[in-house]
Amino acid sequence: MFRRSRSSQSVRMHNPQLERRLIRNRMSLALVLASLMLAGLGLRLYELQVQRHDHFVTLSQDNRVRLRPLPPPRGLIFDRNGILLAENLPSFRLEIVPEDVPDLPQTLDQLSRLIEITPKDRQRFERERKRSRPFDALALRYRLTDEEVARLAIDRFQFPGVDVRADLTRHYPFGASTAQVIGYVGAVDERDLRNAAEGTYAGLTEAGRNGVERSYETELRGVTGYEQVEVNAQGRTIRVLESHPPTAGQNLYLSLDIRLQQATEAALGGNRGAIVAIAPNSGEILALVSEPSFDANVFVGGIDGDSYRALNTDPGHPLFNRAILGQYPPGSTVKPLLGVADLASGQPLGAGGIYCPGYVKLPNIERRYRDWKHSGHGHTDLHHAIMQSCDVYFYQLGLELGIDRLHDTLTAFGLGRTTGVDLPGERAGLVPSKAWKQRVRKQSWYIGETLVNAIGQGYNLATPLQLAQAAATLARRGQVLQPRMVRAREDMASGQYVPLTPVPGTPVPFGTPGQWETVIDAMHAVVQSPGGTAYGSGRGAPYAYAGKTGTAQVYGLGSEEEYVQENVAPELRDHALFLGFAPQHDPAIAVGVVVEHGGSGGHTAAPIARQVLDAYLLREAAP
Amino acid sequence: MNRPIYELGAGMRSPLRDWPTRLHMDLLLLVCLGLLSAVGLMILYSAGGEQMELLERQCLRLAMAFLVMLAIAQIPSDWLHRIAPVLYGVGLILLVLVMGLGDIGKGAQRWLDLGVVRFQPSEIMKLAMPLMTARYLHDRGLPPQRWDVPIVLLLIVGPTLLIAEQPDLGTAVLVMVSGLAVLFLGGLSWRWIVLFLGGLGAALPLMWTLMHDYQRQRVLTLLNPEADPLGSGYHIIQSKIALGSGGLFGKGWLNGSQAHLQFLPERTTDFIFAVYGEEFGLIGLILLLALYFAVAVRGLQIAAQAQNSFERLLAASLSFTFLFYVLVNTGMVSGLLPVVGVPLPLVSYGGTSMVTLLAAFGMLMSIQTHKKMLAP
């Protein structure tokens, strides 16, 4: 029983009598404390049950009063010209309060004889019943037809706890055209509930799931109101006593131009790919297209499993928003960006030009780094290197600058990091550096990789939105504005129209005005001078504009192999890319185009971009 | 150290023990707990809309819990001392496991699925915490000195934080209180106590910033339930009406309109005290609270008569934690404390917590009935 313990210098021993007395004293103390608390509770109960008894009796007798949440109408969404893109249509739904139903399975059977209740409806109802409290109203059916509403109205007295409620259903008039931008609404789930204050979703069945519906959920949702209603013993409403109306959700005005959006969709002409168009002077996104798309309306009120599976397993991945989630090698579209850095470096290659024999050979490396033009471009300066997309020039530039300065240059234009657009889930792309390779691949950097990365291949990845943002940054001559989808919101309560001001970013830290113009002149030559890689697409345009093509390898070729499009399977063909802006001086629109497996940028992406520019500029010019 | 044997234990007037003691039962506890369960079943019948099915399931659960209690009472009390660290260790490991691969039930991660049974490791901690802390203090000698206090605090804080993370604030507080009770009863110096209270006062603003939104909401709702009539404010408003309209004598069994017209949410579980108050009034509530108090006092009596410090600390901590349970639930229902999910012991419907609760009383009975014939 006796144990030595050495907690301090002195040796302590158990002294049972002392310990016993100590514990007993403390027990008495604690008991007194607990008794005091109990007495406090007793006083509280006395206060409630004796002193304020009459007050509560009145309340209890009047307690035929229930609180019923009044859901706010969700904010509407318009395009930049006030055309409605998301609206609320009136509809009816069938609600059940499980606690008030005497025999639920029997009631469900009887109801299914009156109206159509699919096994899926029942499954969803059962699933939600497990998650909710028995006194919560749950929807069994949405979007009842007028005939069903009438049939239920006749027999309603037979079904305690069953109610038909007027409802608003989200509808997207432009369907697939706006699905990637606006997203859709879906049933409120546990995550929504966890992330919001208690009661936020009372009476609401849907929450924003994607796109603007998701990123502006708080603004669109509004604030739930409630009414006090008198009910009879079955819980049926007799009259409304007091009403605190809900605050409607705010209306949103997108920067999107729906007519340009549709023209852009048409320009893609059934190809898989994505196009983003930005107004350089404000950062506003005029069009954001990802093809193929899907009709967002099928998600409203819950999509059934089969349709969802079909969308999910579609080889075209219609649910995947390529414009902000798709990451593609930017290829030669990085050349004008690097061109600015070349001129600003103090010792530009462009000053004297280089000689292009059609390949670059590094000492001690077997492989030849080839130009796309095997015969070579001959003597080449920066202007021609951009215009004809000379790879050798940029191989040399890459060696000159080194991988880390390539990284810094591309990062300054917004590649390799998210643009901060107000859409959920945007990907960052990738711009490699020595530190990145060491950290992620645990390998040191090879000089050959610098060459490949200098023409936008290798590890480089960019989203179509980033390409458009880089084009807009070029158009702004180095100034940076965050791209954004929403340009204003309208507070319904105060009737205030609140424009959202553009958010500036860090400007590109190099390049004099003259150097910018040199590069942009070269980009102008790409589309509108004979010999430019996209001269075919820019010919005859009534405005001067600037662009750069890109062709991104999907399929790795050996150094001596020839790329012949006809010999390569469609899913291994190169991606076709283009970035550009128009007009050249005083730009109104900047675009980034990616056509998946489209072949060459000059042949596929550049003509598509021209159509988009025409659609915007020529229409704007017209009265 | 020569103590006469006849001083040991109540109900042991002669060395020949009476029959309940031979069966390792404590008759007084058994009767009080039985009465509480009976009252619970009666009120559950009313609160549950007079469903027999609900009652049957509760009976089954009670029967199992009482069997567990009587089984644990058979274990010699010195075994409790031996298994303390094992139980604590197992509980801790399971708590860590549940963080990683726990089932998500009701949006919180607290269940562990063992294929056959699903259970909450935090329930083990409710028993392991007082066992472990009592053993530690007993082994080190009372009162705790120097590093004893920080070490015991560490033993308490670890599991508490793990449980609070789940998030299960109610259980976390209960587990913490059972450990702190041991520390206080074991003679924690007043300097530490003042330091605690001071620290708590200083930490309150910090805790406010660390709380989940829903937890903050509950505190705010307590201060002004009418501000949030759609959320947890509704519970408090309705339960106050139920209690208040019950008055001195109550509306009578099966006559509570608040419960029967279904205005009162969670009326069979956390808010069953309000149903009882509506139907049996202040008189009934006082009788019920007196019954709870009697159970706790009997537990403390067992503690006072226990044969060593470990058993004394354990028994007293379990008794006070039981009382704390009651105070938190009733405080919540009467609108004095925020709405935390703590059931009313033996009366609220369901809960794995019932088995744990009666297991604790099994340990009390073991302490009372397994005394050695010689004084320590």
Side-chain angles (χ1 to χ4, degrees), chain A residues 427-476:
Chain A
R427 295 262 167 84
L430 178 62
V431 176
S433 65
K434 280 181 190 162
W436 167 83
K437 195 175 177 204
Q438 194 61 51
R439 194 179 68 244
V440 176
R441 303 261 164 133
K442 310 268 183 279
Q443 282 170 359
S444 52
W445 188 266
Y446 301 116
I447 186 85
E449 292 174 324
T450 305
L451 267 59
V452 178
N453 280 284
I455 58 161
Q457 299 280 158
Y459 299 114
N460 277 298
L461 291 174
T463 65
L465 174 64
Q466 285 175 327
L467 292 183
Q469 172 70 351
T473 304
L474 279 166
R476 286 183 295 247

Side-chain angles (χ1 to χ4, degrees), chain A residues 1 3 5 7 12 14 17 19-20 22-24 26-27 29-31 34-35 37-38 41 44-46 48-50 53 56-57 59-60 63-67 69 99-100 133 135 190 194 197-198 202 224-226 233, chain B residues 107 138-143 145 148 184-188 190 229 231-232 235 238 240-241 243-245 247 251 257-258 261-263 265 267 277 281-282 285 289 293 300 304 309 312 316 320 323 327 330 334-336:
Chain A
M1 213 59 210
R3 242 174 120 255
S5 56
S7 68
R12 275 157 67 202
H14 280 272
Q17 270 146 321
E19 290 193 359
R20 185 172 163 155
L22 179 71
I23 296 177
R24 280 196 178 180
R26 283 295 167 93
M27 268 167 54
L29 205 65
L31 191 60
S35 307
M37 286 195 246
L38 214 54
L41 177 70
R44 170 67 168 184
L45 293 174
Y46 178 78
L48 291 177
Q49 300 196 287
V50 177
H53 174 58
F56 284 117
V57 165
L59 282 184
S60 137
N63 209 348
R64 304 198 166 280
V65 177
R66 275 194 191 184
L67 279 175
E99 194 175 76
D100 294 344
R133 302 171 295 184
F135 51 89
E190 283 190 19
R194 225 185 2 255
E198 204 171 346
T224 302
Y226 59 92
Chain B
H138 166 258
D139 290 358
R140 301 282 298 167
L142 300 179
Q145 287 175 4
D148 292 346
F184 176 78
L185 295 165
L188 183 68
W190 288 104
S232 50
H235 288 61
Q238 295 300 340
K240 271 161 69 178
I241 294 177
L243 285 171
S245 63
K251 299 174 182 171
S257 62
Q258 277 293 99
L261 294 183
Q262 305 172 342
F263 287 107
R267 54 188 171 272
L282 185 61
L285 285 180
L289 289 174
F293 195 64
L300 292 176
S309 297
R312 253 191 295 275
F320 277 122
L323 206 54
L327 282 169
T330 53
S334 56
L336 290 173

Side-chain angles (χ1 to χ4, degrees), chain A residues 178-355:
Chain A
T178 57
Q180 310 286 3
V181 172
I182 296 182
Y184 46 87
V185 293
V188 174
D189 64 20
E190 283 190 19
R191 206 175 29 185
D192 298 315
L193 296 176
R194 225 185 2 255
N195 294 337
E198 204 171 346
T200 304
Y201 281 101
L204 288 174
T205 51
E206 295 184 321
R209 272 289 159 272
N210 222 329
V212 170
E213 291 272 27
R214 163 97 169 272
S215 48
Y216 287 86
E217 166 69 11
T218 318
E219 287 83 358
L220 288 166
R221 183 173 59 215
V223 181
T224 302
Y226 59 92
E227 60 184 5
Q228 294 184 320
V229 294
E230 188 175 340
V231 295
N232 63 16
Q234 281 84 48
R236 188 131 4 253
T237 305
I238 297 170
R239 65 193 166 105
V240 177
L241 299 175
E242 201 184 315
S243 186
H244 301 260
T247 310
Q250 298 180 3
N251 293 342
L252 295 183
Y253 288 83
L254 302 190
S255 54
L256 200 77
D257 181 326
I258 187 66
R259 282 177 296 168
L260 180 65
Q261 176 85 355
Q262 287 179 315
T264 305
E265 259 183 298
L268 257 178
N271 285 301
R272 286 181 200 166
I275 299 177
V276 178
I278 296 180
N281 59 0
S282 60
E284 292 176 357
I285 297 173
L286 300 169
L288 188 146
V289 168
S290 171
E291 281 287 301
S293 189
F294 62 97
D295 183 4
N297 289 307
V298 300
F299 279 91
V300 178
I303 185 170
D304 64 273
D306 290 338
S307 318
Y308 185 69
R309 225 164 296 134
L311 279 174
N312 229 354
T313 53
D314 186 317
H317 302 292
L319 296 179
F320 183 69
N321 186 354
R322 292 165 164 79
I324 60 170
L325 300 175
Q327 303 183 103
Y328 307 89
S332 301
T333 58
V334 301
K335 285 175 182 171
L337 320 183
L338 298 175
V340 180
D342 179 26
L343 294 176
S345 69
Q347 287 176 305
L349 295 177
I354 56 129
Y355 180 75

Side-chain angles (χ1 to χ4, degrees), chain B residues 103-120:
Chain B
D103 241 23
I104 308 211
K106 268 193 179 175
Q109 223 172 9
R110 44 181 91 145
W111 293 89
L112 199 65
D113 202 336
L114 292 183
V116 202
V117 277
R118 293 198 326 149
F119 77 105
Q120 303 182 346

